[in-house]
Each structure stands twice: as C-alpha cells, then as structure tokens.
Amino acid sequence: MTAEAPASPSALAGGDRYLPIAAHGLIGDLRSAALVGTDGTIDWYCCGRFDAPSIFASILDADRGGSFELAADVPALTKQFYFPDTNVLITRFFAEEGMGEVQDFMPVVDDSHDEGRHRLIRRVVCVRGLLPFRVRVSPRFVYGTVPHTTHVHGVQAIFESAVQTLSLTSGVPMETDGTDVWAQFKLAEGETAVFALDQIGEGVELRGCPLTEAEGEFEATVRYWRHWLSKSRYRGRWREMVHRSALTLKLLTYAPTGAIVAAPTTSLPERIGGERNWDYRYVWIRDAAFCVYALLRLGFTDEAESFMRFLSERVALGACEDDGSGPCDGPLQIMYGIDGRTDLPERELPHLEGHRGSAPVRIGNSAVGQLQLDIYGELIDSLYLYDKWGAPISSAHWDTVCGLVDWVVDNWDQPDEGIWETRGGRKNFLYSRVMCWVAIERAIRMANHRGLPADHTRWCKARDTIYRRIMREGWSEERRAFTQSEGEDVLDASVLMMPLAKFISPTDPKWLSTLDALGKDLVSDSLVYRYDPMSSPDGLRGEEGTFSICSFWYVEALTRAGRADDARLAFEKMLTYANHLGLYAEEIDRTGEQRGNFPQAFTHLALISAAFNLDKALG
C-alpha cells in the first residue's frame, strides 16, 4: 500500500540544512566508510569501495544526495562517542521522555564468501524511559544520477537500481513510496531495534539480521578493533588522541590491496562557497608513505608490509621511456586508485550543489598527471624505516629502490608542481629538492647497512650536489630563512620538514632563523598556514585556512629545536581544534571550523609523529 511520505527533518528545519563537517564520526570495514552526523544521519556512504559512487551523499547536496536518518522523534540533545578502543560509533539522544542511543558499525570480514556483503548495522537501544524514534532511508545511487525502485516485504526493503541492489532489514514495519522507506516506532527501556543495510547480488544472497545476529556482529567488531589496537607500543601522555588517530588511519586502509586513501570523502570544501573541492579517495604515494612511518612508530608492521605489497604488485614502477617528447615525469605517479589503476579522470557533477553551496563537486583528480618530485623521498624513506623497524626489504624491493634512485639522480633538478599540487605552473620548489636528497641519502644508508649493491660514487655525488644547491639557492638573506622555491622570498611551511627529514640540524642557526620567520609570518596561535596564496599564486581563487599537518610539523620542529615548552603549548592548543571524537579535517578556518575532506590521513599521521617526539623530549 502506498503511503504519503512525511517530510524529511532536513527539509523541515529552518536555516542551514547541513551539519558542520566536524559534526561527524567515521565508521568503516576496511573497504569503505560512512560519515554519521551528530543528529544520527548517515550523510556519506560509498558501498563496497572508498571510490565507489555514493549511495548517501546529502553532505554534498541535502536534497539530491540521499541519506539514512535515524534519530529520536522528539526534541533531544545529542552526544557522540566511540565505544572504547574501537571504531564502533555511539550517538546518544537525551530527551524528557527518556534516553536512547544508536550504535553504528560495519563488521570487518575476511576473504570469505561473505566478503561482498558490505554490511552496515545500526542498533537502536532505549536506555531509559520510553522513547519514540523515526527512521528514513533514502538511497540515491551513483551520486543521485541513477533511479531505483523500492519494494517492502514485511521487515525487509529492497532498493534496486540498474547498477546496484541493496537490502534493508528492519526491526520494525516500514512504509514506502516506491523510492524511500520510513517508519516511526517506540522503544521501552531495554528494548532494541536493528537496521542492517546490505549489498546483495553477485553470489551474496538476501539475509536478515535478527537481534541475536546483530549482537554477535557487534561483539565481533569490538573484538577486532581492540585486538588490532592492542599491538600499539605507544604509552605516552596523549594515548587517547594517538590511538584515535591510529584507528582512523586503519579505517582508511583498503584491506584487499593494502592501499591507504588520503581521506574517505570528496569535494568537502577548503572554503565555504569556494572552488577548492577535491576528491581524496585515492592513494597518494606521499600520504601513504607517511602513514607507514606513523604506524611503524606505533608497532603496526602488518600495515607497512601490506602497503609495500600494494606498491610491488599493483603500481607500475618501470623506468621511463625516452620518446623525445621532453623530460620524463618519472616511474611513479603521485597517486593511484585503491586497486592500483593509473587513470583517475576528473569531472564535475553539476547536479549536486556542494556542501553548503560549495561547487563544483568533483570526482576523480586531474592532479594525477602532475610531477611532484618529493614523492620519491617519502617513499624511499618509508622503505628505509620498514627495513629498519619492520622486516629487511627483499632483493626485488632493493632493485626497485635502485631504479627509483637512479631516476632521481638524473631528474632532481626539474621544476615540478610541488607538495601542495599547485595549479599555477611548475617551479623549483625547495621541499621537492629536500626530498630528492632524502631519497638518495636513505638509499645510501640502506646499502651501507645491509651491504647491498649500489652506485655509491654517483649517488653520493648527486646527494652532495643537491645539498649544496639547497643551501645556496634556497636560502634568502633578506628573509633570513629558507624559502618556498629557488630565487624567491616567499615562505612555505613545507620547509618545516627539513630538520624532521634530517636534512639540517634542528639547532642550526640558519634553521632557527627560518623557524622564527615561519612563526612570525605563517603561524597564528599555533595554527600554521602552508603559504600565503596572495604572495604565492597557486592557480586557484580564494583564500584557505590553516593546514593542520603543518601545525603538527611546527610542533615537531619546535620540539627538535629544544623548545619543548613552546612545542607542548602549541600541541595542546592543536588538540582543542579536533572535533568531539578527536578527528581532523584538512584545514581549520578563521572561526575554528574544520574544512576540507574529513577525516584526513595526513593530519592524523602528523599528530602521531608530533606526540611521539614530544613525549620523548619531555621525558
């Protein structure tokens, strides 16, 4: 029987139809992830893969994106937290009639026949009193471009489109208008209702989710995350924040290949109403390599091994072919798909308005074709650390390292787009030079330590040439600082990596002068801008917020410079900018709001590194 659908709460609410980016928690199953708002709404979910077309995307368009609403059906205060030491998210509703909670999680499965199910479970529990709830499930397949039909059979609803079929098992009777389903129900103290969303088809049969099965899935998911986290070696002052960052990095891992995505979202704006909206659901060599470093510091060697396997099995590392068309852009791309694919065409989705009207919404990323020389240093540094803290690298990996280093020796002095992926043309970026030095220097260390074959004379000559070039061309006498690129006086926070990468002593007078200059020009109450876009045009319109990874780099640079008290204050201030769950987006704007894709791996790995080194300095 067809019933008239009640209006969505987002449509009824006056004013802003969007929750802030930071008003979300993340759940996932090591294949995909979902954002759950503090109002109980899942407003971002790509079923099966991080880079799959969205099922729910109301965070990008409140009307056309689709969502899974589940909340108390009376005015209520809400609080959100993670079940201790897990990625199981709890959203609590406090009302006059009682108190209830929604427990959101995605079971982590092995490579069994159930691998394709991709189950998302939402358990509703009435903790006290008698509380009314509402639920509304409004999938919108392929970013809201593919229509679907909905059929309800008892407590099961089937959402069927030309590209994907989902089933919803409900603990209560549902109504439908042929597109969405909804229900209103009451739970007394101690009662539970379960909603389980499954992908079906391709050998995955329709299956219900009774209360006992949901309870078992909950307990198994809790055990999985707690067992994983128990391997951490971190026992320092900021254990809760460090472990939340580690759990977040693990959530951003695509288990079938070992890939690590930069963020689970696309097009969350760096500035509301601006055009800096990018798709981060891919594997940046830089981000993933830094993640390996952070996880190795905590003792998680399996993730490092999986990423190394991803590189060797799925990423083409062949030498460049000289076709006479110009300089070679290298044996590595800056990013890959989670399955290792190299083609990531960027296009816009004009039918979606963007988060709070921030258009365009983009999928794919055309920066894939950029030359960013720094990735060689970050990758080889992670291989060096894996060899040091994980397991000795194989002969095949060493052959790969030699090929990469030989290419860097021949090509380090090319201009490139740099770490920030500017779209304003190539320059001789200092950070890129530093990381080319790192690539060669770490390879020399490995060769010396393991007695591995290497072209020592050639490598050492190139390493020393790069060092002298940086010290000569990258230093500005006028600014008394190392600068963004050769021959310019623009400051750039990426040079904070110079002492962290062991290029320069953290107490070298030139470095201390640079640190003071950065603190004066780019730091605002511990928050660090990556550069001034007014003095360093990047090819895009509008301003941006402070860059959170740079803020944690600043903490670590202060620490290594012997300014532990300043570093601790800056670190503690940065912690206050995390959201209620300890999660960070890419940037923080002038009002303290988080901006950009969320949560971002880059920020969390930098937090881990800063905390680790600051703990060590404080003793």
Side-chain angles (χ1 to χ4, degrees):
M1 181 177 178
T2 301
E4 183 180 352
S8 165
S10 63
L12 291 173
D16 202 337
R17 301 170 298 143
Y18 296 91
L19 285 176
I21 291 171
H24 291 86
L26 185 73
I27 60 173
D29 61 358
L30 308 183
R31 286 165 173 79
S32 62
L35 291 183
V36 185
T38 51
D39 61 356
T41 297
I42 295 177
D43 54 16
W44 177 256
Y45 178 46
C46 299
C47 183
R49 292 169 54 113
F50 291 108
D51 57 356
S54 64
I55 300 297
F56 305 130
S58 58
I59 197 170
L60 295 178
D61 193 307
D63 298 323
R64 292 178 287 272
S67 63
F68 189 153
E69 300 170 3
L70 180 55
D73 200 21
V74 291
L77 298 175
T78 64
K79 290 185 179 180
Q80 211 172 44
F81 63 96
Y82 280 109
F83 204 73
D85 295 335
T86 77
N87 282 315
V88 175
L89 185 67
I90 313 295
T91 306
R92 284 201 153 187
F93 299 89
F94 301 84
E96 289 187 7
E97 294 83 351
M99 182 176 72
E101 66 183 32
V102 177
Q103 303 167 355
D104 285 309
F105 62 98
M106 295 167 66
V108 179
V109 301
D110 55 21
D111 295 328
S112 68
H113 67 280
D114 228 18
E115 181 186 3
R117 183 168 297 279
H118 305 299
R119 169 165 279 189
L120 189 159
I121 296 178
R122 314 198 73 185
R123 290 206 311 169
V124 192
V125 180
C126 182
V127 179
R128 293 178 183 169
L130 178 67
L131 199 59
F133 290 89
R134 66 173 184 271
V135 60
R136 183 186 183 93
V137 185
S138 309
R140 297 294 183 266
F141 292 87
V142 191
Y143 308 105
T145 62
V146 174
H148 71 278
T149 57
T150 301
H151 305 280
V152 173
H153 308 280
V155 294
Q156 239 163 4
I158 306 297
F159 305 100
E160 189 170 8
S161 76
V163 296
Q164 195 173 23
T165 300
L166 301 176
S167 73
L168 175 72
T169 300
S170 170
V172 299
M174 295 176 289
E175 297 179 83
T176 183
D177 59 1
T179 302
D180 302 344
V181 298
W182 64 88
Q184 293 172 305
F185 59 98
K186 288 186 178 181
L187 295 178
E189 186 170 323
E191 290 184 333
T192 300
V194 172
F195 300 88
L197 188 67
D198 292 322
Q199 177 177 265
I200 58 176
E202 297 182 3
V204 181
E205 301 297 327
L206 186 65
R207 192 178 85 194
C209 188
L211 295 179
T212 52
E213 182 173 338
E215 177 71 22
E217 298 264 32
F218 177 89
E219 292 175 354
T221 304
V222 167
R223 282 196 305 272
Y224 173 85
W225 289 115
R226 287 182 170 172
H227 174 72
W228 181 82
L229 191 60
S230 69
K231 300 175 186 176
S232 170
R233 294 197 298 252
Y234 182 79
R235 299 293 183 271
R237 293 168 176 80
W238 298 284
R239 186 174 177 182
E240 183 176 352
M241 290 296 292
V242 167
H243 280 175
R244 178 50 51 198
S245 291
L247 285 163
T248 302
L249 293 181
K250 181 64 173 176
L251 270 182
L252 301 182
T253 302
Y254 184 64
T257 65
I260 303 172
V261 298
T265 56
T266 181
S267 299
L268 294 184
E270 296 177 16
R271 184 176 70 87
I272 298 300
E275 66 173 334
R276 298 170 185 260
N277 317 317
W278 314 110
D279 193 345
Y280 277 12
R281 298 172 297 160
Y282 306 112
V283 185
W284 266 255
I285 293 293
R286 175 189 308 110
D287 298 48
F290 276 134
C291 283
V292 167
Y293 164 77
L295 292 171
L296 279 171
R297 295 302 295 263
L298 300 180
F300 298 108
T301 57
D302 289 348
E303 285 67 30
E305 182 179 354
S306 294
F307 179 63
M308 296 301 131
R309 188 167 59 250
F310 167 78
L311 286 174
S312 61
E313 292 180 358
R314 292 175 173 84
V315 175
L317 298 175
C320 275
E321 297 291 337
D322 184 4
D323 58 6
S325 62
C328 172
D329 274 358
L332 285 177
Q333 288 187 177
I334 68 164
M335 73 180 86
Y336 296 86
I338 56 177
D339 53 4
R341 74 187 188 280
T342 58
D343 187 26
L344 307 173
E346 181 178 306
R347 63 187 179 92
E348 298 180 2
L349 303 178
H351 66 285
L352 297 179
E353 73 171 8
H355 180 76
R356 296 189 176 183
S358 304
V361 171
R362 296 182 174 96
I363 56 174
N365 199 310
S366 63
V368 68
Q370 289 191 353
L371 173 65
Q372 296 175 19
L373 292 169
D374 64 282
I375 63 175
Y376 295 91
E378 288 129 3
L379 176 59
I380 294 176
D381 193 32
S382 70
L383 284 164
Y384 163 75
L385 294 171
Y386 176 67
D387 181 71
K388 181 179 179 180
W389 295 334
I393 67 171
S394 67
S395 58
H397 278 144
W398 180 246
D399 289 342
T400 297
V401 169
C402 289
L404 295 175
V405 173
D406 286 338
W407 186 86
V408 171
V409 167
D410 290 334
N411 293 275
W412 65 266
D413 59 347
Q414 292 187 53
D416 70 345
E417 275 89 3
I419 180 176
W420 306 130
E421 296 177 3
T422 61
R423 301 196 177 191
R426 295 182 177 183
K427 292 184 179 181
N428 293 318
F429 287 106
L430 192 68
Y431 178 79
S432 299
R433 298 283 190 267
V434 170
M435 296 313 291
C436 284
W437 177 91
V438 168
I440 302 170
E441 197 274 339
R442 299 302 191 268
I444 293 172
R445 285 197 194 193
M446 278 192 282
N448 290 337
H449 176 68
R450 297 273 308 281
L452 296 168
D455 192 344
H456 287 274
T457 301
R458 184 166 175 265
W459 289 6
C460 288
K461 181 180 178 181
R463 177 197 62 185
D464 296 347
T465 299
I466 297 171
Y467 177 88
R468 293 190 180 98
R469 171 82 166 264
I470 291 170
M471 299 302 286
R472 182 179 67 251
E473 303 294 337
W475 172 260
S476 168
E477 284 292 341
E478 181 179 345
R479 300 302 299 268
R480 301 298 299 167
F482 291 103
T483 57
Q484 182 183 71
S485 57
E486 294 179 359
E488 295 186 357
D489 292 328
V490 175
L491 297 183
D492 190 309
S494 65
V495 302
L496 287 165
M497 278 296 294
M498 292 176 74
L500 277 57
K502 303 186 186 304
F503 176 84
I504 193 171
S505 165
T507 56
D508 186 290
K510 281 191 171 181
W511 172 249
L512 293 178
S513 177
T514 300
L515 189 59
D516 289 340
L518 292 172
K520 180 182 178 182
D521 280 29
L522 297 183
V523 179
S524 173
D525 192 40
S526 85
L527 299 177
V528 182
Y529 292 93
R530 54 182 178 173
Y531 54 80
D532 180 359
M534 300 304 294
S535 58
S536 177
D538 54 16
L540 297 166
R541 295 187 300 272
E543 61 182 23
E544 62 177 17
T546 57
F547 228 65
S548 293
I549 187 174
C550 298
S551 301
F552 286 118
W553 283 349
Y554 182 60
V555 169
E556 193 164 347
L558 288 171
T559 302
R560 292 173 184 261
R563 303 177 183 176
D565 289 342
D566 292 340
R568 184 170 189 174
L569 179 59
F571 186 75
E572 294 285 2
K573 285 181 178 179
M574 268 303 296
L575 297 186
T576 68
Y577 289 100
N579 84 339
H580 57 291
L581 298 168
L583 303 181
Y584 290 87
E586 186 174 27
E587 300 182 13
I588 297 169
D589 72 9
R590 293 180 184 275
T591 68
E593 287 289 322
Q594 299 209 34
R595 297 284 179 251
N597 285 306
F598 175 86
Q600 195 206 30
F602 227 176
T603 304
H604 286 279
L605 62 89
L607 184 155
I608 292 172
S609 184
F612 189 94
N613 286 284
L614 184 53
D615 264 320
K616 188 176 178 181
L618 293 172

